[in-house]
Amino acid sequence: MTSIASTLGVGSGIDTATLVEQLAAASKKPKEDLIAKREEANSAKISALGNISSAIDSFASALSSLISGGSLFTQATSSDTGVVAASALAGSRIGNLSVQMEVRQLAAAQSIASGSYAGATSPIGQGQMTLTTAKGSFAITVDAANDSLAGLARAINAAGAGVTASVIQDTTGSRLVIKGATGAAQAFSLSVDPSADAGLQAFAFDPASYDAGNPSGMSLAQAAQDAIVRVDGVEVTRTSNSFSDLVPGVKIDLRKAAAGTVITIGSSRPTAAISQAVSDFVAAYNELKSMLDAATAAGAGALRGDVGLREMQRQLAKLPTTVLSSAGGPATLAEIGVRTQRDGTLAVDGARLASILASDPDGVEALFNPGQTASSPLIRIVSPYGAVKPGTYTVSDLVAGDPASGKIEGFLGVVSGSQLSSSIAAKSKGLVIEPLGNLAEGTITVDLGLGGALQAIRDALRASGGPLATTQARLATESKTIAKDREKMETRESAYHDQLVRQFTAMDSRVAAFKATQSYLDQQIKMWTSGNN
């Protein structure tokens, strides 16, 4: 068709090629403009939705980071962090914490070492050995395939007995070192069968009969022992130097023994940080609302009338009155001075906030540092805050003991000694409790907190089938529809252009024929005229 179009006008003398292009362009332009307008509008909607989605993500993430960073929690303090470090557990209420602690002994893991050998591959003898740990007794075989320090270390590690064997090098040669877990109950022994090669006797060890002055086998580098601490004058032991079950709401990390030195464990309230966080939250909320208002403004908003955006506005508007805590103090942001103004923006009543922070600092903190509570003292919540989604869960038919029994959210609890874990099929997945007595029915409440409330809004909006996801899918479908419409328009207009070329080519041929006839007649007339003369 291109070669034909290039000859347009040759026969008629008229610039029909330009005429064809102008007619085709005149036909295409209004349709092109309409599709371009649709593309521009849809792109503006997609861009606006992307900006808003990103904004609510940033809003929720920034708040979550602020909360998870711990700057809004009352923190545990230690008068000597070189001896004892203390940190608050999520959801704990330790505003009035005051504990005296003395670290008399650190927990330690048993560690034993063999004599020196020329190298890790040096033969040590063959035979049967028995490794006895807190997990039980394990047979260790040394034969021709593993007759060396390294082979014995591999056999011990492969047994899965709860100890770790390694070969270390020092200035005298190679030694086998075996180390267990911390705590007195984690002591272990290694015995050698009497029928084994004499060389294996050098690896025997029994902590009960060990004589440091006359060791007959491996040497004791460190005895297994419990940590010993005095808390407010009461002596207690722990199998580890890190534990969270001694001072309620506090994780303790023992750094060194300091018998006779009393360490004070107290708390530091983040009153100023909470007050600033409330102001920052209100400012971020108002900025997000301004973006939503602009996107949905009548007449000019790219997403005016969008159902998903209206739902987001509705959910966010509920935040000041959403119940965030069941701690018994203020339960909503509105109760601490965050009020909604006539235009829908938020403002902080500074005097109200300062008053509540002074009278009930734990209650205000609970809005940012949510906790979990049981309806009965016969239920101990074992899982940390965050292991299960916020909500209220029912427990029933609880029977204390080892093994315990009972149901969580209607499902039989998964038994582990005296504890019950929620079935993974239940909405309470992640919840672990310990019945402290028999109980027919009770509830466990895991509070939302402000971070959880905002996260819940974001998750609901962005969930599959949710308002934002639906809008995104609709706009994506519209993009595809516009692209198809453009393709169809281009095809139709190309066909119209080709039709014009054919029509004008035919016209040009006819005009050329007429001109040839005209020329012939002109010649004949001239001849006739000359003849008559």
Side-chain angles (χ1 to χ4, degrees):
M1 192 63 68
T2 303
S3 60
I4 296 174
S6 65
T7 62
L8 281 174
V10 173
S12 65
I14 302 172
D15 188 2
T16 51
T18 300
L19 185 58
V20 165
E21 295 303 323
Q22 290 175 343
L23 288 172
S27 172
K28 182 178 180 180
K29 189 175 187 311
K31 298 163 189 163
E32 168 75 27
D33 290 347
L34 181 60
I35 289 178
K37 187 175 181 181
R38 289 171 60 197
E39 287 174 334
E40 183 181 351
N42 196 60
S43 294
K45 291 176 183 178
I46 291 173
S47 177
L49 187 64
N51 290 338
I52 289 169
S53 296
S54 177
I56 194 169
D57 283 345
S58 299
F59 187 21
S61 297
L63 184 61
S64 295
S65 297
L66 180 65
I67 291 172
S68 62
S71 61
L72 304 183
F73 302 173
T74 293
Q75 292 298 321
T77 61
S78 169
S79 60
D80 189 343
T81 56
V83 177
V84 179
S87 56
L89 299 174
S92 61
R93 303 287 174 260
I94 59 170
N96 298 314
L97 179 65
S98 180
V99 173
Q100 304 298 310
M101 184 174 292
E102 178 188 355
V103 183
R104 300 186 61 80
Q105 175 178 290
L106 292 180
Q110 177 182 313
S111 178
I112 59 177
S114 72
S116 182
Y117 288 76
T121 59
S122 298
I124 57 174
Q126 300 177 26
Q128 293 294 320
M129 308 176 77
T130 301
L131 175 62
T132 303
T133 71
K135 287 187 172 184
S137 296
F138 301 84
I140 306 296
T141 300
V142 181
D143 54 24
N146 66 335
D147 183 4
S148 65
L149 282 181
L152 177 55
R154 286 195 300 270
I156 291 172
N157 290 333
V163 299
T164 302
S166 60
V167 178
I168 64 171
Q169 308 289 328
D170 60 21
T171 56
T172 63
S174 298
R175 297 174 183 271
L176 176 71
V177 175
I178 308 175
K179 185 176 183 180
T182 59
Q186 299 298 323
F188 59 90
S189 63
L190 187 60
S191 61
V192 182
D193 189 275
S195 64
D197 290 347
L200 283 187
Q201 295 298 332
F203 297 94
F205 181 84
D206 185 352
S209 59
Y210 177 72
D211 182 357
N214 185 29
S216 58
M218 296 184 76
S219 300
L220 180 66
Q222 170 65 57
Q225 63 185 34
D226 290 335
I228 302 175
V229 296
R230 283 183 179 171
V231 179
D232 291 335
V234 178
E235 189 168 288
V236 296
T237 62
R238 288 294 182 273
T239 60
S240 169
N241 293 316
S242 180
F243 42 86
S244 304
D245 61 348
L246 184 57
V247 179
V250 178
K251 180 177 180 287
I252 298 294
D253 290 294
L254 306 181
R255 300 285 175 79
K256 71 176 182 179
T261 301
V262 177
I263 308 301
T264 299
I265 306 298
S267 61
S268 174
R269 292 187 184 277
T271 304
I274 289 177
S275 181
Q276 183 62 49
V278 172
S279 297
D280 291 346
F281 165 78
V282 167
Y285 176 97
N286 289 341
E287 184 177 347
L288 179 58
K289 184 182 184 306
S290 176
M291 184 180 292
L292 284 167
D293 289 347
T296 57
L303 291 166
R304 55 191 178 278
D306 183 80
V307 175
L309 270 292
R310 284 204 302 269
E311 179 62 16
M312 183 188 288
Q313 289 173 310
R314 191 181 70 82
Q315 292 289 346
L316 288 172
K318 290 166 54 179
L319 268 178
T321 56
T322 298
V323 175
L324 307 176
S325 170
S326 59
T332 67
L333 290 176
E335 292 179 56
I336 65 170
V338 177
R339 67 177 189 274
T340 303
Q341 303 185 106
R342 288 185 177 181
D343 61 357
T345 59
L346 300 183
V348 181
D349 184 338
R352 173 67 176 166
L353 177 58
S355 175
I356 295 294
L357 276 170
S359 62
D360 189 2
D362 282 344
V364 177
E365 181 182 330
L367 302 179
F368 296 90
N369 179 21
Q372 50 193 11
T373 56
S375 62
S376 169
L378 298 179
I379 306 170
R380 184 171 81 88
I381 305 174
V382 177
S383 50
Y385 181 85
V388 61
K389 289 183 178 181
T392 298
Y393 305 103
T394 300
V395 295
S396 58
D397 304 329
L398 298 183
V399 177
D402 186 0
S405 65
K407 295 179 180 179
I408 303 176
E409 280 295 297
F411 291 81
L412 286 174
V414 180
V415 180
S416 177
S418 62
Q419 298 179 358
L420 298 174
S421 300
S422 171
S423 165
I424 59 173
K427 65 179 182 178
S428 51
K429 179 178 65 175
L431 180 62
V432 182
I433 65 170
E434 180 180 4
L436 303 178
N438 298 345
L439 185 68
E441 188 170 283
T443 57
I444 292 169
T445 300
V446 181
D447 290 335
L448 266 176
L450 182 56
L454 191 54
Q455 184 70 40
I457 291 174
R458 179 175 69 171
D459 290 348
L461 290 170
R462 304 201 66 166
S464 177
L468 285 186
T470 299
T471 297
Q472 287 172 331
R474 178 174 58 78
L475 293 178
T477 300
E478 178 64 14
S479 291
K480 292 178 182 178
T481 299
I482 294 173
K484 288 180 180 178
D485 288 347
R486 173 175 284 281
E487 184 178 348
K488 290 177 182 177
M489 182 272 292
E490 294 285 358
T491 299
R492 286 195 300 266
E493 293 306 311
S494 178
Y496 178 61
H497 177 276
D498 292 346
Q499 178 186 343
L500 288 175
V501 169
R502 288 192 298 271
Q503 288 175 336
F504 276 88
T505 298
M507 180 206 73
D508 204 44
S509 297
R510 292 192 188 98
V511 170
F514 291 151
K515 290 181 71 175
T517 301
Q518 180 186 23
S519 178
Y520 171 75
L521 292 175
D522 284 342
Q523 292 175 0
Q524 291 300 315
I525 291 171
K526 286 179 181 179
M527 290 175 59
W528 296 337
T529 304
S530 290
N532 291 334
N533 291 335

